[in-house]
Amino acid sequence: MMLSLEHPIGERFFGLRLDTLIRLRWLAISGQTLAIVVVHWLLGFTLPLGACLAVVALSAWLNLALRLRNPGARRLSDIEAAWLLAYDILQLGALLFLTGGLANPFAFLFLAPVLISATALSPRTTILLGVLAAACAALVGLWQMPLPWSADDLGAAPVLPPIYLAAIWVALAIAIAFIGVHAWRVAEETRELSEALAATELVLAREQHLSALDGMAAAAAHELGTPLATITLVAKELARALPTGSPMAEDIRLLGEQAQRCRAILRTLTSLEAGDAPFDRMPLSHILEDVVAPHRNFGIAIEVTLPARGIDEPVIARNPGLLYGLGNIVENAVDFAAGRVNIVANWNHADVTVTITDDGPGFPPELIDSIGAPYVTSRGRNRWRREAVEAGEDSSEGLGLGVFIAKTLLERSGAEIAFANRTAPAHGASVTVRWPRARVDISGDPARVPAAGRS
């Protein structure tokens, strides 16, 4: 059984957390165990106890295996969630086969997986799960072990007429169809409203930002331009005055470069449109160099490795969200690295993958399943950050929102992100970002532009 849930992300991602399904299954396991105990020991009804407990134990084993092999915070694809819900339907069918089939009052629980699918998964998946639930209900209606009953009450277990069992199946099938459609329609309207509100808030926030910058950007550029020019001039004078081979030459050069970078940032404050960028479409190698460039002067070696010539290099829209997400991961790798960060890009006809590794301490084992959730942080300190802390200029540990925002932005671009530690004897962290190639490669479609340019 494959329990490592690796998958590509489809065009529309509804999203269902693995942790949610695991918790719901634990609830079902608890209820099933309680029902078996009450019926067998408290009510004195005869049932195949060993077989029933074995079916429940199988679900418990699956839950434990999923929890150990996958982080609970990750979101499942439509297909993955469908397989897990299909297992729940089959498991319930097995229990009902052992305990009376459709004559068992708990047969209505066939509705539960279909309802979950209707609220979070695609219509096609919900229809398939509904058909599976109806088929299982029909099978346990035709073939089942006797309904558990006490011989002291009636002398023999009651036998329901076939027409009544058929009516139960018809009612169950109608309930699956009606409740599934109703739940999907309500959930879809909620999703559409949420997307519309999010888009409206984004536009309003953008307009408010632009309005505020109209007057503030010019004043900031004017006020800050003078001291930055002074810093640049002093840095140049110090560089000329230093003797050849001075150990301070590198620091003076870095000071001048960062002052120039500040001036460049000020010049971009008045223009937030993605279309103002020099290029809206860039090869992946150029995107990576654009991401890496601001982090090369901090004492950490950064190496970008590209595959040998073969399949054409993907061309990607210069999306600000994608750039920020990759930049945040690279920044964290530089922050934690002891001396080196490696960025390896690979692509084929199906996928585009970027793997970022460092030689630092790696992710704390107790946090690795929670990485990407908000307010989870374990900050490292490279040489530059340590010096800032010692000087009293940076005492903040951060709120842990950077990786959360980066992960969210990358997932919106269609990426799947995996966090792990490097395999011994190597040490350090490894972050793998993978996109379906069809989702990000626009080399064959000149009309496609970055999403930010359309907002």
Side-chain angles (χ1 to χ4, degrees), residues 8-85:
I9 297 179
E11 283 300 316
R12 180 160 187 182
F13 185 76
F14 290 82
L16 191 63
R17 290 179 60 200
L18 175 62
D19 186 65
T20 300
L21 287 184
I22 289 177
R23 289 175 183 271
L24 289 174
R25 187 175 288 121
W26 281 127
L27 182 63
I29 290 170
S30 301
Q32 291 167 356
T33 304
L34 180 62
I36 292 171
V37 169
V38 169
V39 169
H40 186 75
W41 277 289
L42 295 185
L43 300 181
F45 293 176
T46 301
L47 53 80
L49 184 63
C52 291
L53 291 178
V55 172
V56 175
L58 180 62
S59 289
W61 173 86
L62 177 62
N63 254 15
L64 290 173
L66 289 172
R67 175 64 75 187
L68 293 174
R69 293 290 300 275
N70 299 275
R74 65 161 301 191
R75 290 191 175 273
L76 302 173
S77 73
D78 203 70
I79 296 176
E80 290 172 341
W83 278 111
L84 293 179
L85 291 174

Side-chain angles (χ1 to χ4, degrees), residues 49-176:
L49 184 63
C52 291
L53 291 178
V55 172
V56 175
L58 180 62
S59 289
W61 173 86
L62 177 62
N63 254 15
L64 290 173
L66 289 172
R67 175 64 75 187
L68 293 174
R69 293 290 300 275
N70 299 275
R74 65 161 301 191
R75 290 191 175 273
L76 302 173
S77 73
D78 203 70
I79 296 176
E80 290 172 341
W83 278 111
L84 293 179
L85 291 174
Y87 167 80
D88 291 331
I89 292 173
L90 294 174
Q91 189 256 8
L92 177 62
L95 278 179
L96 291 176
F97 167 79
L98 296 170
T99 56
L102 289 184
N104 190 321
F106 289 103
F108 77 93
L109 289 176
F110 276 124
L111 290 170
V114 180
L115 182 60
I116 294 172
S117 174
T119 57
L121 304 181
S122 66
R124 182 182 64 178
T125 298
T126 302
I127 291 173
L128 292 175
L129 290 174
V131 171
L132 177 62
C136 287
L139 290 175
V140 298
L142 294 173
W143 297 284
Q144 72 282 325
M145 297 180 68
L147 181 71
W149 205 262
S150 174
D152 297 336
D153 293 332
L154 296 176
V159 179
L160 297 178
I163 188 66
Y164 184 77
L165 293 176
I168 292 177
W169 180 86
V170 171
L172 187 59
I174 293 175
I176 289 174

Side-chain angles (χ1 to χ4, degrees), residues 122-398:
S122 66
R124 182 182 64 178
T125 298
T126 302
I127 291 173
L128 292 175
L129 290 174
V131 171
L132 177 62
C136 287
L139 290 175
V140 298
L142 294 173
W143 297 284
Q144 72 282 325
M145 297 180 68
L147 181 71
W149 205 262
S150 174
D152 297 336
D153 293 332
L154 296 176
V159 179
L160 297 178
I163 188 66
Y164 184 77
L165 293 176
I168 292 177
W169 180 86
V170 171
L172 187 59
I174 293 175
I176 289 174
F178 177 79
I179 295 177
V181 171
H182 180 74
W184 178 82
R185 186 63 257 174
V186 172
E188 181 68 11
E189 290 177 357
T190 302
R191 281 191 289 265
E192 291 173 353
L193 180 60
S194 298
E195 291 172 1
L197 289 175
T200 302
E201 290 174 357
L202 181 62
V203 172
L204 290 176
R206 186 183 183 85
E207 293 300 325
Q208 185 179 15
H209 193 184
L210 289 173
S211 298
L213 286 177
D214 282 342
M216 186 174 64
H222 175 75
E223 295 295 331
L224 296 177
T226 301
L228 285 173
T230 302
I231 293 172
T232 303
L233 179 61
V234 172
K236 290 179 179 179
E237 294 296 331
L238 288 174
R240 293 193 189 99
L242 288 175
T244 303
S246 172
M248 295 182 62
E250 181 66 19
D251 291 335
I252 296 299
R253 184 188 65 80
L254 180 61
L255 178 63
E257 289 180 356
Q258 294 304 304
Q260 290 295 337
R261 186 183 173 202
C262 288
R263 298 181 71 179
I265 291 172
L266 286 176
R267 286 195 296 268
T268 63
L269 283 177
T270 56
S271 180
L272 298 181
E273 293 293 334
D276 294 334
F279 303 100
D280 284 340
R281 301 156 50 87
M282 300 175 67
L284 177 61
S285 57
H286 293 183
I287 289 281
L288 293 178
E289 188 56 38
D290 200 11
V291 168
V292 167
H295 307 286
R296 286 198 180 276
N297 296 318
F298 292 93
I300 301 297
I302 303 178
E303 180 179 351
V304 179
T305 304
L306 302 173
R309 289 189 176 183
I311 301 174
D312 291 339
E313 181 177 357
V315 176
I316 299 176
R318 196 177 184 276
N319 186 324
L322 184 148
L323 292 176
Y324 175 86
L326 288 176
N328 180 272
I329 295 174
V330 172
E331 180 181 1
N332 277 281
V334 170
D335 198 25
F336 281 83
R340 188 175 190 84
V341 171
N342 292 318
I343 301 174
V344 179
N346 285 293
W347 56 80
N348 53 38
H349 292 294
D351 299 312
V352 176
T353 305
V354 175
T355 302
I356 301 166
T357 59
D358 61 68
D359 59 355
F363 296 117
E366 69 274 12
L367 294 181
I368 199 165
D369 284 351
S370 303
I371 295 173
Y375 305 107
V376 175
T377 180
S378 178
R379 298 296 296 164
R381 302 287 183 186
N382 62 21
R383 180 173 67 88
W384 300 95
R385 189 176 292 276
R386 282 198 298 270
E387 292 173 356
V389 172
E390 292 169 358
E393 297 171 358
D394 183 5
S395 60
S396 171
E397 287 291 318

